[in-house]
Every structure is written in C-alpha cells, then in structure tokens.
C-alpha cells in the first residue's frame, strides 16, 4: 500500500482505485471511483460500507460531483502536470462554494515545490509522484510564513489581519 | 514607492531562501530541468541566447534612488555593466551566471526589490501611467491600486499556473498612458453620475501573435470590489482558458471564443459568490498603502512660471525645445516632471549603463525627492523637479547624454532587445532602431515631422509593441534570413492596431522605407497639426504603400 501526506502526517493509503467496475469489491473496502462509475452504480455504492472517494481528472470541475459530495469521504484531483492550475480552482470551489469537508487529495505531478499553493487552495492530502520523499516534501508546506490573499487555509486576507493587529495594539484589551 | 512593512519584507526574504534552495538542488541534479524551468521563470530567470537573463520587477515603474544605485551595483558586479529597461517598466540583466542569481535576489531584497512573477504563466508586474501620482489630469492615484494588486497577485495560490502569462494595467488619469486597451485586464479610473470614482474594466486586449483591442466587461466597478472582481475574471480564465496550444492560451482568445457577452455573464456569475466576501477592499487598507507610499514634502511655490525659467526659455532655443518635448505638467504648483531620454542617436533603446544609473540616482536626490520612474516607452523620469531648476537640470542632463529632446517624436523608438539577445526573436531590433535614429538625427527635421511613435519588435511576441506604433516594424524570418514587416496607423490610446503596408523588406531598406513614408505624409498633410497617424487615418494606407514600394521598384529597375 502506498503512503501519502494527510494533515501533515505520513500515512498509509487505504483506498483502492476502481474506474471500470465494482465487481469483486469487498463491502468494507475503501474505494475511489470515477464520476462515471459513481453515476452508474449509485444504488450499489449507497449500500457500500467502506469509505467512498471520487477521482477527478485535471479537466473535470467540481460541478459534476456536486450532488454527491455529502456522501463522499474523499475527492482526488489529478494533476497531469504541476503547471496546469485548473485543479487549484477545483479545490477552492469544492471547499468554499460546495462546502466539502472531507479529504481533498492532490495526485499526479505533485512534489515539494507545489505543496504550498495546493494546501492554501484547500488540499489536505498529497499523493506524491513516484520517487519523491514524503519527509522532504513536508518542508514545502512551511516555505512561507505569511500570505497576502484570502485562501481556504486562512479566510482573512493579510490586509484585514493587519488592521486587527493595529487595532489590538491601540487598545490592548 | 511603497515602503515594505515587516511582513512584506519577510515574504520576499522567504522567496529568496526558497529559490536559493531550488537552484542548489537543480545544480546538484536533484531537480530536473523540466521542474526547474517553471520555477525559475516565476523568478524572472530565462535561459537566453548567450547566458541567463534576469528580469527584475520595478513595481508600476517607481524606483527610489537607492534602489537604482543597487541596480547599478548589480549591473557592475554580476553583469557587464548594463541594464535594459523594458516596456513593462522592468529592468533586465543579460549576463548573470545562474549560480549567482540567488545572491542577486538577496541583494535586491535588501532594498525591497525582487524578481517575483516577472515571467511565467502567472500575473505579471502591474504597470501604470509613468506620471502616476504627479500628473495634472489625475482622477485617482493609480499607485495605490497597483500596490493593492501587487500584493493580491504575489503568490496568489489559485492563479500561479494559468494557461499563459497575465498582464494588468491601471490608469488613473483622463489620458490613458498605461495602454489599458491592450492588456489582459485594463483598469481605467472613471467617475459615475454620482461623482464616485471606480474602474472601467477592460478584458482581452493584447498584442503578440493575435493582436486585439480589449472589450469592456464592466463600465463601472466600485473600488471596494476590485479584488473580488479580479478573482472572478482570473477564475473563469484559469478554468476555461485553452491549455492545448500556447499560441491560443491568452485570455483574449477565450473572450473571443466564448463571445464577450457570455464571458461577461460567466464572470458576473462567479463574482456573485465572491462579492462582499473577505477580499472586499476596506478604505483603511487604501489609507494604509497611501501612508506607506513615499510622498515628497513639496514646497509651497507660486503658480506663475518662475523668472529663471522664463528667461531661459526666451534665450536658449535648444532648452525651449527640450522643455516642449521632455517636460510634463505637474499637479503641484511650481513643479514639473522631466523625461530623461534613453534614445540618443546610436544608443540602444532602453539601455542604461551602471554609471548612468548612478548619475540619474544622484540627480534624483539633488533635483527631486529621490524618486525615479521608468516609462513603458523605456525612458526614465524625474517626477518632481522645481520649475526654477529646470534649466540647471537640463545642462546636467545634456552632459550625461540624456537631454535628447525627442519624447513623442520619431527617434523615441520603443524596441525590444531583439535577436542580439533574445532567443525568441526572428530578427535583430537594435541595429534597425539605430539606423533609423541615424537617418533622422537632424532635430529641425524631426520637429517638422512632429509627433510620431515608432515601435520595433524582433518577433511576433510584440515586446516592442509594434502594433500600436504609428509606424510599427516587426522582425520576421524568411527562410532563415531577417526581414522586416512595416505596419502603419497603429495607436496606443485610443488603441488601434496598425495595418501591414506590403511585403517585408531587408534590414538595409528600412531607413529608406521610413523616409518614403515621411515624404508621403509631409506632402499629404493639410496643416502642421495633422499628425502622421491622422493622415493615415484620413487617407488609408494606399498612398503610403505606393510611396514605399514604387520607389523600391524604381531602384530595382535602375540598379
């Protein structure tokens, strides 16, 4: 079983990826399915006891799984290349517009240098590309101690927090 | 300039550390070329024809004198003593060694400078009017909004890997000196019926391979909604812009493919979810930025033209010319802004040596308040000079070679570095610019010709903005040889794209062709106030075409 980063810890991945068929699946197995399989096997997956995740390709937006998010434990967003930033918008929409609270995992061309932006867009799990050290990659989450914009990690943009600091310095409780 | 607080400084310092680590790992073979390329580009580092090229950001073209001295130091220490000011108000160094780039970035950080997002498929340096904050015709000071956008765009987590580069321009004055119609997003300050100031939002303009004038997606955007609206536009672009073909990846192609109406609906729908959210700009932030923006302690001076200036204007003809071309009205009584021409005959447009940079920094301290502007026309500006000091300053500039009175005239050529440096170029630009400058070296003649923008790009990426030159010259490759295509009738504001007059010409034929264009113009103009571009507008390109190509044929016949 593969390892990945989840909530800043290195953990084993318990999920199995199923794209074509659910045949042979164990009831308690954690499974990741494609949006197509999710749509086709809705009734069967409703009865499934293990955890349920869905796999979005780089080009697939959150709209196609919006109706199913309540019953999903995991959404995987695949990055065909780290320079294709569509998944960053997908993640923010999942978190901020659709209110998805489960595991949001970046997979594909994911490595240390990409973690900072991904994490701020709402990913809390990272399945690195082959050959990358998980321990080394963890450092990518702490390259910057501050950020200007509003993000999933920190809703309040720096300019609002700066004002709060000024206010609290002026009126120390 | 905007003065960093502790947090701004920390963010830049952390970037230097990050890039130092990435460069080390690249050189150690731990980071592949494919991984390193996008990372170095987002730090302004290209691998060029001869050596790496480092592009350093000059946010909205504003420099303090000590920053210019640092640039001079970098040019001397890490380059061959020269810097090139670009049409994006940035500076480029053509000869740094890859290994020394982290050191250069660390040097820059000590004076609150960086190379963040000066390249790559991300939001680039925001540009503005080079007279921002001092122009007499200003509605708002665009530097405040440029800084707001600089902070918003710096390491924006969602928009670091867009389909293609993304350029934003802000104009706060009545006259558009920021080319807002030919940017991915152009923001133009306007006043609504109630007298409130906001932005007209223009999207999808741009030059390059497929030049287009932008479309207005919102006639009036209240200032408070600036960042949420930018987020909405960028999100639509990030999600739906083409990624399969880099030549069709700019936002202008998306706007056209979707149709402006549908694009606008998508943006407005996206904005509804973001509007009034935490990114809504609060007045306190605008006030905070304004307070950190250095403001000269202007003296209270009389409004009338000072006696000394009056005298000099009457007695010194050359000075009068320079004053007419290179001096710009100021919003504070008794002051003026002065353009230092980097376009003397024989110069490389936009180039300044380390010694020249030091000299300009010194003048900025002595004659101004230690501030310099970089214009997208690749000149330098001293924004705050007392009118009474203009003649003294003129004499010093003359000695330094910066007093060529050609601003707005034919020899104030905008030019990219071209094939001498840039690996994208099809042809060289600099020798063409120099040959034209030689040909039109006579000032009387230059004045007779009147206002004329001549822009040169060495390839269709159009860094030299040839499409919006009254005369544009584009380097093209024909079976491995360098040729040049001429367009006429382009204009920056209001934006119009030039039209091609005919088959491309060899380098040696260009000065003659320009000469023919000018002859046709001078013969056809109704009066002195009718500019070259006005005549093209009135008569179309035919007479110009006939002038250039008829003479060509004649020469071939009698050769």
């Amino acid at each position: 079983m593969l390892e990945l980063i989840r909530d800043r810890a290195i953990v084993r991945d318990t999920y199995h990826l199923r794209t074509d068929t659910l045949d042979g699946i164990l009831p308690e197995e954690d499974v990741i399915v494609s949006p197509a399989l999710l749509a086709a096997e809705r009734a069967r997956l409703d009865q499934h006891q293990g955890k349920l995740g869905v796999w979005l390709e780089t080009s697939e937006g959150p709209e196609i799984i919006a109706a199913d998010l309540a019953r999903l434990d995991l959404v995987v967003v695949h990055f065909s290349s780290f320079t294709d930033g569509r998944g960053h918008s997908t993640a923010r929409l999942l978190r901020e517009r659709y209110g998805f609270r489960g595991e949001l995992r970046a997979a594909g061309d994911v490595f240390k240098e990409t973690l900072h932006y991904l994490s701020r867009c709402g990913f809390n799990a990272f399945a690195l590309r082959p050959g990358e050290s998980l321990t080394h990659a963890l450092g990518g989450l702490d390259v910057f101690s501050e950020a200007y914009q509003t993000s999933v990690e920190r809703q309040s943009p720096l300019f609002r927090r700066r004002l709060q600091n000024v206010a609290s310095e002026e009126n120390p409780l | 300039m905007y003065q960093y607080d502790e947090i701004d400084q920390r963010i830049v310092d952390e970037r230097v550390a990050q890039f130092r680590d990435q460069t080390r790992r690249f050189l150690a073979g731990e980071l592949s070329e494919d991984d390193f390329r996008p990372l170095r580009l987002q730090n302004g580092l290209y691998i060029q024809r001869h050596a790496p090229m480092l592009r350093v950001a000059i946010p909205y073209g504003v420099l303090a004198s000590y920053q210019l001295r640092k640039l001079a130091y970098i040019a001397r220490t890490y380059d061959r003593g020269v810097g090139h000011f670009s049409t994006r108000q940035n500076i480029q160094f053509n000869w740094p060694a890859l290994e020394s780039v982290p050191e250069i970035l660390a040097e820059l950080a000590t004076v609150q400078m960086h190379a963040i997002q000066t390249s790559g498929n991300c939001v680039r340096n925001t540009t503005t009017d080079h007279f921002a904050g001092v122009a007499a015709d200003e509605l708002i000071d665009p530097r405040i909004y440029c800084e707001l956008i600089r902070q918003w765009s710096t390491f924006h987590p969602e928009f670091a890997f867009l389909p293609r580069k993304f350029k934003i321009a802000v104009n706060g004055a009545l006259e558009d000196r920021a080319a807002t119609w030919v940017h991915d997003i152009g923001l133009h300050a306007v006043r609504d019926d109630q007298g409130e100031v906001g932005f007209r939002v223009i999207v999808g303009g741009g030059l390059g391979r497929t030049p287009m004038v932008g479309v207005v997606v919102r006639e009036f955007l209240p200032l408070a909604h600036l960042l949420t609206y930018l987020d909405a536009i960028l999100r639509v672009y990030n999600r739906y812009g083409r990624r399969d073909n880099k030549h069709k990846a700019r936002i202008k192609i998306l706007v056209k493919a979707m149709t402006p109406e549908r694009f606008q609906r998508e943006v407005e729908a996206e904005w509804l979810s973001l509007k009034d959210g935490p990114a809504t700009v609060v007045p306190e932030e605008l006030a905070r930025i304004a307070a950190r923006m250095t403001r000269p302690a202007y003296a209270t001076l009389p409004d009338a033209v000072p006696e000394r200036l009056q005298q000099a204007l009457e007695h010194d003809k050359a000075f009068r010319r320079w004053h007419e071309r290179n001096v710009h009205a100021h919003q504070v009584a008794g002051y003026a802004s002065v353009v230092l021409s980097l376009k003397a005959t024989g110069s490389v447009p936009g180039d300044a040596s380390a010694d020249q940079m030091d000299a300009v920094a010194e003048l900025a301290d002595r004659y101004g308040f230690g501030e310099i502007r970089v214009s997208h026309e690749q000149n330098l500006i001293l924004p705050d000079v007392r009118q009474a000091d203009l003649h003294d300053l003129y004499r010093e500039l003359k000695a330094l070679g910066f007093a060529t009175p050609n601003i707005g005239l034919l020899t104030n050529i905008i030019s990219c570095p071209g094939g001498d440096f840039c690996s994208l170029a099809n042809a060289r630009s600099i020798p063409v610019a120099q040959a034209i400058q030689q040909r039109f070296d006579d000032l009387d003649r230059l004045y007779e010709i009147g206002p004329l923008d001549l822009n040169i790009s060495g390839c269709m990426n159009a860094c030299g903005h040839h499409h919006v030159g009254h005369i544009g010259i584009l380097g093209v490759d024909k079976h491995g040889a360098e040729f040049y295509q001429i367009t006429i009738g382009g204009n920056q504001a209001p934006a119009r794209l030039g039209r091609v007059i005919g088959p491309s010409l060899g380098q040696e034929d260009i000065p003659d062709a320009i000469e023919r264009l000018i002859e046709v113009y001078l013969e056809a103009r109704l009066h002195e106030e009718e500019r070259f571009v006005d005549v093209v507008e009135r008569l179309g390109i035919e007479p110009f075409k006939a002038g250039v190509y008829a003479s060509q044929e004649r020469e071939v016949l009698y050769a």
Side-chain angles (χ1 to χ4, degrees), chain A:
Chain A
M1 236 177 260
L2 286 170
E3 288 188 319
L4 54 88
I5 295 172
R6 185 191 294 138
D7 298 327
R8 292 177 164 262
I10 296 171
V11 297
R12 286 197 170 281
D13 183 11
T14 58
Y15 284 88
H16 298 266
L17 179 62
R18 298 284 183 146
T19 49
D20 304 329
T21 171
L22 293 179
D23 291 350
I25 192 173
L26 302 173
E28 64 279 7
E29 178 178 307
D30 295 345
V31 63
I32 299 170
V33 298
S34 64
L37 196 55
L38 180 68
E41 298 275 14
R42 220 168 231 117
R44 222 171 131 189
L45 286 169
D46 273 343
Q47 305 301 315
H48 187 69
Q49 290 162 31
K51 289 184 183 168
L52 181 59
V54 73
W55 176 283
L56 291 181
E57 287 301 336
T58 311
S59 59
E60 290 173 326
E63 293 82 2
I64 57 170
I65 53 163
D68 300 294
L69 284 171
R71 44 204 288 280
L72 292 176
D73 300 287
L74 162 74
V75 176
V76 183
V77 178
H78 181 249
F79 288 83
S80 52
S81 158
F82 80 93
T83 58
D84 188 328
R86 283 178 285 184
H88 297 75
S89 289
T90 303
R92 285 197 81 160
L93 288 167
L94 281 169
R95 293 292 195 208
E96 293 173 338
R97 183 131 338 143
Y98 297 102
F100 180 64
R101 305 284 291 274
E103 178 181 339
L104 186 52
R105 184 189 295 181
D109 196 15
V110 178
F111 59 108
K112 181 189 175 184
E113 314 307 322
T114 70
L115 263 47
H116 168 70
Y117 288 138
L118 293 173
S119 162
R120 290 178 58 209
C121 286
F123 288 101
N124 68 319
F126 309 93
L128 305 186
R129 66 187 183 189
E132 296 287 335
S133 148
L134 289 132
T135 329
H136 175 68
L138 272 171
L141 292 168
D142 296 313
V143 176
F144 292 99
S145 56
E146 255 300 354
Y148 289 111
Q149 308 79 4
T150 165
S151 72
V152 177
E153 273 186 346
R154 196 149 44 178
Q155 264 219 330
S156 187
L158 179 58
F159 66 77
R160 285 184 191 268
R161 288 180 282 114
R162 271 174 169 148
L163 288 175
Q164 281 159 9
N165 290 344
V166 171
S168 61
E169 273 166 31
E170 280 168 1
N171 315 298
L173 291 177

Side-chain angles (χ1 to χ4, degrees), chain B residues 257-271:
Chain B
M258 268 188 169
T259 74
E261 296 71 30
R262 214 190 108 212
F263 177 82
Q264 183 186 26
R265 281 203 303 277
E266 291 279 345
V267 169
E268 292 280 329
E270 190 59 50
W271 186 47

Side-chain angles (χ1 to χ4, degrees), chain B residues 504-524:
Chain B
S504 52
L505 304 169
Q507 190 184 317
E508 64 287 352
D509 295 326
I510 294 295
D512 283 339
I514 304 301
E515 190 109 41
R516 297 290 102 77
L517 290 174
I518 298 302
E519 279 169 13
V520 173
Y521 157 63
L522 290 175
E523 216 160 281

Side-chain angles (χ1 to χ4, degrees), chain B residues 210-272:
Chain B
T210 319
M212 280 186 209
V213 174
V215 294
V216 175
V217 293
R218 194 160 240 284
E219 277 295 347
F220 188 84
L221 178 72
L223 300 174
H225 298 306
L226 178 60
L227 300 185
T228 52
Y229 204 78
L230 292 179
D231 273 325
I233 295 172
L234 268 292
R235 182 171 285 169
V236 170
Y237 173 54
N238 189 42
R239 298 194 65 197
Y240 304 115
R242 280 182 68 171
R243 291 174 186 268
D244 59 326
N245 180 343
K246 76 177 225 178
H247 300 308
K248 297 189 187 301
R250 295 288 288 268
I251 196 172
K252 59 192 171 189
I253 307 287
L254 177 67
V255 173
K256 196 171 176 211
M258 268 188 169
T259 74
E261 296 71 30
R262 214 190 108 212
F263 177 82
Q264 183 186 26
R265 281 203 303 277
E266 291 279 345
V267 169
E268 292 280 329
E270 190 59 50
W271 186 47
L272 271 183

